[in-house]
Amino acid sequence: MRLRCLAAFTGLLNLIAAAQNPPKPPAPLTATAPTDPPRWETIASAGLTLTKGNSDTLLANFGVTTAKKTLVSEISLSASLTYGEASGVKNVDNYNADAQYNHLVSERFYTGFKLAAAKDDIANLAYRLTLSPLVGYYFIKTAATQFSAETGPSYLVEQLGGFSRSYAAFRVGERFEHKFNDRAKVWEVAEIIPQVDRFSQYLINFELGVSSAITARTSLRAVLQDTYNSQAAAGRKANDIRIVTGIGYKF
């Protein structure tokens, strides 16, 4: 009887303790904050130079570039046009467009292709299309500085000086970019494309640019562009140099 009373009393104490200290519910799972997906970074730029008086000149340019980078790919697109007149006579009229896709095989090594299109009425170039599969490597890849080189075959189709032709070529290119801070950066791009069965026929494209921010979205830009064609159209010079200045707007 005493054992039964002790067991009953012990069970009653356990019930009272359980009522006073109920078990805590499991802690809710903490959701991981979603990371922002990669976004397109787009910059539109425009410039205008106009003189009246002893000389009447007009030079206008417009360009847009956009790029997107993920952990496994890089996409860049660009287009530009420049038009100029002197004393009512057209002396600048060219259009350019580029598209490039890189697939990152590793952190620094990549494969991809580039497609470029160009038109220049003053150089008597009706059109030029260049398709270039490529392999490349980042020799420097930090948040502030990037330097890469790439190479591969190319195929060109063009109408120059009234003559149409197509040929196989070999392309070697490189790109350098350095950000001094969040407001200023400099970049440089160069490529050479010789014809595979006639190395005396080649193209060289070069660009050097600098950008300095005015506000969070606007910036001053200055770009030096040089295009060299070893076999220019009859009556045309082989080298074309342009210095383009203007204001850029970041979307």
Side-chain angles (χ1 to χ4, degrees), residues 1-14:
M1 181 63 71
R2 290 180 180 178
L3 292 175
R4 291 178 181 177
C5 291
L6 181 59
F9 182 70
T10 303
L12 181 61
L13 291 177
N14 290 334

mmCIF file of all heavy atoms in Angstrom, residues 1-14:
data_model
loop_
_atom_site.group_PDB
_atom_site.id
_atom_site.type_symbol
_atom_site.label_atom_id
_atom_site.label_comp_id
_atom_site.label_asym_id
_atom_site.label_seq_id
_atom_site.Cartn_x
_atom_site.Cartn_y
_atom_site.Cartn_z
ATOM 1 N N MET A 1 0.841 -1.201 0.000
ATOM 2 C CA MET A 1 0.000 0.000 0.000
ATOM 3 C C MET A 1 0.877 1.253 0.000
ATOM 4 O O MET A 1 0.604 2.211 -0.710
ATOM 5 C CB MET A 1 -0.926 -0.009 1.227
ATOM 6 C CG MET A 1 -1.865 1.210 1.316
ATOM 7 S SD MET A 1 -3.005 1.265 -0.090
ATOM 8 C CE MET A 1 -4.050 -0.136 0.332
ATOM 9 N N ARG A 2 1.975 1.250 0.841
ATOM 10 C CA ARG A 2 2.864 2.390 0.888
ATOM 11 C C ARG A 2 3.554 2.615 -0.466
ATOM 12 O O ARG A 2 3.722 3.752 -0.939
ATOM 13 C CB ARG A 2 3.913 2.177 1.979
ATOM 14 C CG ARG A 2 3.341 2.254 3.397
ATOM 15 C CD ARG A 2 4.460 2.022 4.404
ATOM 16 N NE ARG A 2 3.929 2.100 5.765
ATOM 17 C CZ ARG A 2 4.666 1.896 6.860
ATOM 18 N NH1 ARG A 2 5.968 1.598 6.720
ATOM 19 N NH2 ARG A 2 4.136 1.991 8.074
ATOM 20 N N LEU A 3 3.942 1.482 -1.099
ATOM 21 C CA LEU A 3 4.589 1.615 -2.410
ATOM 22 C C LEU A 3 3.641 2.204 -3.443
ATOM 23 O O LEU A 3 4.025 3.025 -4.281
ATOM 24 C CB LEU A 3 5.116 0.264 -2.881
ATOM 25 C CG LEU A 3 6.300 -0.322 -2.076
ATOM 26 C CD1 LEU A 3 6.633 -1.721 -2.566
ATOM 27 C CD2 LEU A 3 7.521 0.585 -2.199
ATOM 28 N N ARG A 4 2.364 1.772 -3.399
ATOM 29 C CA ARG A 4 1.380 2.284 -4.341
ATOM 30 C C ARG A 4 1.157 3.780 -4.106
ATOM 31 O O ARG A 4 1.058 4.569 -5.063
ATOM 32 C CB ARG A 4 0.073 1.531 -4.195
ATOM 33 C CG ARG A 4 0.160 0.094 -4.669
ATOM 34 C CD ARG A 4 -1.163 -0.610 -4.447
ATOM 35 N NE ARG A 4 -1.085 -2.004 -4.883
ATOM 36 C CZ ARG A 4 -2.092 -2.875 -4.747
ATOM 37 N NH1 ARG A 4 -3.244 -2.492 -4.214
ATOM 38 N NH2 ARG A 4 -1.933 -4.110 -5.163
ATOM 39 N N CYS A 5 1.059 4.205 -2.831
ATOM 40 C CA CYS A 5 0.859 5.628 -2.525
ATOM 41 C C CYS A 5 2.058 6.455 -2.987
ATOM 42 O O CYS A 5 1.925 7.552 -3.533
ATOM 43 C CB CYS A 5 0.625 5.809 -1.023
ATOM 44 S SG CYS A 5 -0.961 5.147 -0.472
ATOM 45 N N LEU A 6 3.298 5.900 -2.786
ATOM 46 C CA LEU A 6 4.503 6.623 -3.207
ATOM 47 C C LEU A 6 4.561 6.771 -4.717
ATOM 48 O O LEU A 6 4.917 7.829 -5.253
ATOM 49 C CB LEU A 6 5.736 5.868 -2.699
ATOM 50 C CG LEU A 6 7.089 6.511 -3.032
ATOM 51 C CD1 LEU A 6 7.176 7.911 -2.439
ATOM 52 C CD2 LEU A 6 8.229 5.627 -2.518
ATOM 53 N N ALA A 7 4.170 5.688 -5.425
ATOM 54 C CA ALA A 7 4.172 5.762 -6.885
ATOM 55 C C ALA A 7 3.160 6.761 -7.392
ATOM 56 O O ALA A 7 3.411 7.529 -8.325
ATOM 57 C CB ALA A 7 3.912 4.376 -7.469
ATOM 58 N N ALA A 8 1.976 6.788 -6.764
ATOM 59 C CA ALA A 8 0.941 7.729 -7.184
ATOM 60 C C ALA A 8 1.367 9.154 -6.926
ATOM 61 O O ALA A 8 1.160 10.069 -7.738
ATOM 62 C CB ALA A 8 -0.363 7.416 -6.466
ATOM 63 N N PHE A 9 2.022 9.385 -5.743
ATOM 64 C CA PHE A 9 2.465 10.736 -5.390
ATOM 65 C C PHE A 9 3.563 11.213 -6.354
ATOM 66 O O PHE A 9 3.584 12.359 -6.797
ATOM 67 C CB PHE A 9 2.982 10.721 -3.942
ATOM 68 C CG PHE A 9 3.427 12.069 -3.452
ATOM 69 C CD1 PHE A 9 2.494 13.082 -3.199
ATOM 70 C CD2 PHE A 9 4.766 12.341 -3.246
ATOM 71 C CE1 PHE A 9 2.908 14.315 -2.753
ATOM 72 C CE2 PHE A 9 5.188 13.576 -2.813
ATOM 73 C CZ PHE A 9 4.254 14.571 -2.545
ATOM 74 N N THR A 10 4.475 10.271 -6.706
ATOM 75 C CA THR A 10 5.543 10.630 -7.650
ATOM 76 C C THR A 10 4.985 10.980 -9.019
ATOM 77 O O THR A 10 5.413 11.921 -9.682
ATOM 78 C CB THR A 10 6.540 9.463 -7.769
ATOM 79 O OG1 THR A 10 7.058 9.157 -6.460
ATOM 80 C CG2 THR A 10 7.683 9.820 -8.691
ATOM 81 N N GLY A 11 4.006 10.196 -9.467
ATOM 82 C CA GLY A 11 3.390 10.489 -10.764
ATOM 83 C C GLY A 11 2.682 11.827 -10.769
ATOM 84 O O GLY A 11 2.713 12.561 -11.759
ATOM 85 N N LEU A 12 2.051 12.192 -9.608
ATOM 86 C CA LEU A 12 1.373 13.478 -9.512
ATOM 87 C C LEU A 12 2.368 14.619 -9.586
ATOM 88 O O LEU A 12 2.135 15.640 -10.259
ATOM 89 C CB LEU A 12 0.583 13.541 -8.199
ATOM 90 C CG LEU A 12 -0.213 14.852 -7.956
ATOM 91 C CD1 LEU A 12 -1.250 15.040 -9.066
ATOM 92 C CD2 LEU A 12 -0.906 14.799 -6.584
ATOM 93 N N LEU A 13 3.530 14.469 -8.904
ATOM 94 C CA LEU A 13 4.562 15.504 -8.984
ATOM 95 C C LEU A 13 5.078 15.701 -10.417
ATOM 96 O O LEU A 13 5.329 16.818 -10.866
ATOM 97 C CB LEU A 13 5.727 15.146 -8.053
ATOM 98 C CG LEU A 13 5.437 15.223 -6.542
ATOM 99 C CD1 LEU A 13 6.660 14.766 -5.765
ATOM 100 C CD2 LEU A 13 5.053 16.635 -6.139
ATOM 101 N N ASN A 14 5.226 14.575 -11.126
ATOM 102 C CA ASN A 14 5.699 14.679 -12.526
ATOM 103 C C ASN A 14 4.704 15.413 -13.415
ATOM 104 O O ASN A 14 5.065 16.207 -14.286
ATOM 105 C CB ASN A 14 5.968 13.291 -13.095
ATOM 106 C CG ASN A 14 7.190 12.644 -12.448
ATOM 107 O OD1 ASN A 14 8.089 13.333 -11.963
ATOM 108 N ND2 ASN A 14 7.227 11.302 -12.434
#
